[in-house]
Amino acid sequence: MSPTPLHIGGLLFEQVEQLDFTGPFEVLSRLPGAVFYAVAKTKTPIRDAKGLILTPEYTLNEVPQLDVLVVPGGVGVNTVMEDEAVLEFTRRQAAGARIVLSVCTGALICGAAGLLHGRKATTHWASHHLLKELGARAVKERVVMDGNLVSAAGVTSGIDGALAVAALLCGDEVGQRLQLYLEYSPEPPFASGSPETAPEDVLKVLQAEIGPVVAERAEIIRRVMARPRG
Amino acid sequence: MSPTPLHIGGLLFEQVEQLDFTGPFEVLSRLPGAVFYAVAKTKTPIRDAKGLILTPEYTLNEVPQLDVLVVPGGVGVNTVMEDEAVLEFTRRQAAGARIVLSVCTGALICGAAGLLHGRKATTHWASHHLLKELGARAVKERVVMDGNLVSAAGVTSGIDGALAVAALLCGDEVGQRLQLYLEYSPEPPFASGSPETAPEDVLKVLQAEIGPVVAERAEIIRRVMARPRG
């Protein structure tokens, strides 16, 4: 007997951070009954921030009501936060979805769509201060759950978030089986996975590098929040 | 001043385990001077084991001598192990590469290409017993280095392996910066990331599920090793 279909969608856009998408895909596409929809405004292949081609197979209006919507982040978030078609899609799907999983700065897209008001959420450390501008209750944890919103911190945390979603929807045994399949017993080579643990110089260099994108993001959020609500 | 180009190639094939490829891509495409080549026999887009489309942009003969060759694994390995064109490419590139990074059962492709004789290596736990059939000195560690061969264990270990390669090639600070950028301070939800830690029932169910692919793999390796060497 086949399990009931579980409709899972992952949003794609130019300059997505591909691991925000592919990490959760790896986990969630393996859930019992999973049907995964790579979805975007058009089916034109997109490139991630470093040039990897990913190909959406569904447009925003072609996917059914999703059980799980994955919203990845990346540099491209700055454009998506002002893209009303994608925001409307996110809002509409979120209203009926069992889970919305934001990964990294995908949380900011959720925020621009109006999904964060009064809700606990997290995002990539370099944009974490922007959560409150979107009305969220910012939490410094790797995976944060509030109602049907599951938010994961930066990039790789999408794997942790997706495994948590797997367990939520299908039980701990499925989560454990996927973790074993993916041999997810990580051994990061350095104590450098967060601003709290990274060497100070390393943090400073990276902050300087990311700074302009984050500053632009702050400007965009001001515009988004000042927009009249429909 | 631009850094010296660092030519990095990642092999694609039908039914690749996409995270074996996309995890290292996420890390290595961000090395100073990195030029990343997604390479395959043809430029026809391929699908990973769960249907995600990935698009090679270079054929085997179009890439220059690589500094780093990433060899991912997945169900498709069973076909690639008998694909002489890919094996020849792997052998030829490995001879001049600074690093060959195998991820998951990508190690078996390296083995079929004759790269594992007498060398320490690891692979996904479910295929680990096959390493010795390929002449390797099988090691149960997450990331194993022997000469220019860096092998990572199952799927997610490609992230650890790629960070180790980043540090090897560009120094610890670059590795630390990338780990911080990717917010790689993992918190797996379960103690289930290896056969040693997973609940016994979970291990049994998964072994039964993977069993046929692994058994076929053992047959293929027997054929490959019996083949006359050129």
Side-chain angles (χ1 to χ4, degrees), chain B residues 1 3 20 37 46 55 156 209:
Chain B
M1 206 181 74
D20 295 3
Y37 304 84
I46 59 97
T55 303
T156 54
E209 202 179 291

Side-chain angles (χ1 to χ4, degrees), chain B residues 30-97:
Chain B
R30 289 180 163 76
L31 292 182
V35 182
F36 200 104
Y37 304 84
V39 57
K41 279 182 84 171
T42 74
K43 294 179 192 173
T44 307
I46 59 97
R47 284 187 190 269
D48 98 315
K50 301 309 287 183
L52 185 70
I53 297 174
L54 291 170
T55 303
E57 297 201 74
Y58 297 87
T59 63
L60 302 177
N61 292 315
E62 283 177 354
V63 294
Q65 172 61 53
L66 299 167
D67 295 296
V68 182
L69 171 64
V70 180
V71 184
V75 173
V77 159
N78 289 17
T79 302
V80 176
M81 277 194 291
E82 296 188 287
D83 187 328
E84 194 45 51
V86 179
L87 299 182
E88 195 277 325
F89 167 82
T90 305
R91 208 179 291 126
R92 172 165 53 86
Q93 286 289 349

Side-chain angles (χ1 to χ4, degrees), chain B residues 47-205:
Chain B
R47 284 187 190 269
D48 98 315
K50 301 309 287 183
L52 185 70
I53 297 174
L54 291 170
T55 303
E57 297 201 74
Y58 297 87
T59 63
L60 302 177
N61 292 315
E62 283 177 354
V63 294
Q65 172 61 53
L66 299 167
D67 295 296
V68 182
L69 171 64
V70 180
V71 184
V75 173
V77 159
N78 289 17
T79 302
V80 176
M81 277 194 291
E82 296 188 287
D83 187 328
E84 194 45 51
V86 179
L87 299 182
E88 195 277 325
F89 167 82
T90 305
R91 208 179 291 126
R92 172 165 53 86
Q93 286 289 349
R98 292 168 68 186
I99 301 280
V100 176
L101 170 63
S102 73
V103 181
C104 196
T105 50
L108 306 183
I109 297 176
C110 292
L115 302 179
L116 295 190
H117 295 299
R119 290 171 98 178
K120 289 188 287 181
T122 191
T123 188
H124 190 277
W125 58 264
S127 291
H128 204 272
H129 59 289
L130 299 174
L131 284 172
K132 67 173 188 299
E133 311 297 331
L134 291 157
R137 293 159 57 199
V139 176
K140 283 246 167 179
E141 281 169 24
R142 192 154 172 90
V143 177
V144 174
M145 299 194 185
D146 187 336
N148 77 340
L149 179 71
V150 179
S151 55
V155 196
T156 54
S157 63
I159 298 171
D160 301 288
L163 284 169
V165 168
L168 260 179
L169 294 178
C170 303
D172 282 3
E173 276 192 29
V174 168
Q176 288 163 334
R177 195 153 76 234
L178 285 168
Q179 189 179 328
L180 178 58
Y181 176 73
L182 301 177
E183 204 161 344
Y184 189 44
S185 51
E187 294 179 17
F190 302 106
S192 190
S194 70
E196 292 73 29
T197 55
E200 202 174 326
D201 286 357
V202 167
L203 177 60
K204 273 185 190 158
V205 170

Side-chain angles (χ1 to χ4, degrees), chain A residues 36 50 76 84 94 100 112 126 145-146 153 158 170 178 203 222 224:
Chain A
F36 201 104
K50 299 309 288 182
E84 195 43 53
V100 176
M145 299 193 184
D146 187 336
C170 303
L178 286 168
L203 176 61
R222 269 187 280 276
V224 166

Side-chain angles (χ1 to χ4, degrees), chain A residues 27-175:
Chain A
V27 174
L28 300 174
S29 65
R30 288 180 163 77
L31 292 181
V35 183
F36 201 104
Y37 304 83
V39 57
K41 280 181 84 172
T42 75
K43 295 179 193 173
T44 308
I46 60 98
R47 284 187 190 268
D48 98 316
K50 299 309 288 182
L52 186 70
I53 297 174
L54 291 169
T55 303
E57 298 201 72
Y58 298 86
T59 64
L60 302 175
N61 292 317
E62 284 177 354
V63 295
Q65 172 60 55
L66 298 168
D67 296 295
V68 182
L69 172 63
V70 180
V71 184
V75 172
V77 159
N78 287 19
T79 303
V80 175
M81 277 193 291
E82 296 187 289
D83 187 328
E84 195 43 53
V86 179
L87 299 181
E88 195 277 325
F89 167 82
T90 304
R91 208 179 289 126
R92 172 165 54 83
Q93 285 288 349
R98 293 167 68 186
I99 302 281
V100 176
L101 170 62
S102 74
V103 181
C104 196
T105 49
L108 305 182
I109 297 176
C110 293
L115 301 179
L116 296 190
H117 294 299
R119 291 172 98 178
K120 288 187 288 182
T122 191
T123 188
H124 190 278
W125 58 264
S127 291
H128 203 271
H129 60 289
L130 299 173
L131 285 172
K132 68 174 189 302
E133 310 298 331
L134 291 157
R137 294 159 56 201
V139 177
K140 283 243 167 182
E141 282 168 25
R142 192 155 173 89
V143 177
V144 174
M145 299 193 184
D146 187 336
N148 78 341
L149 179 71
V150 180
S151 55
V155 196
T156 54
S157 63
I159 298 172
D160 301 288
L163 284 168
V165 169
L168 260 178
L169 294 178
C170 303
D172 281 2
E173 276 192 29
V174 168

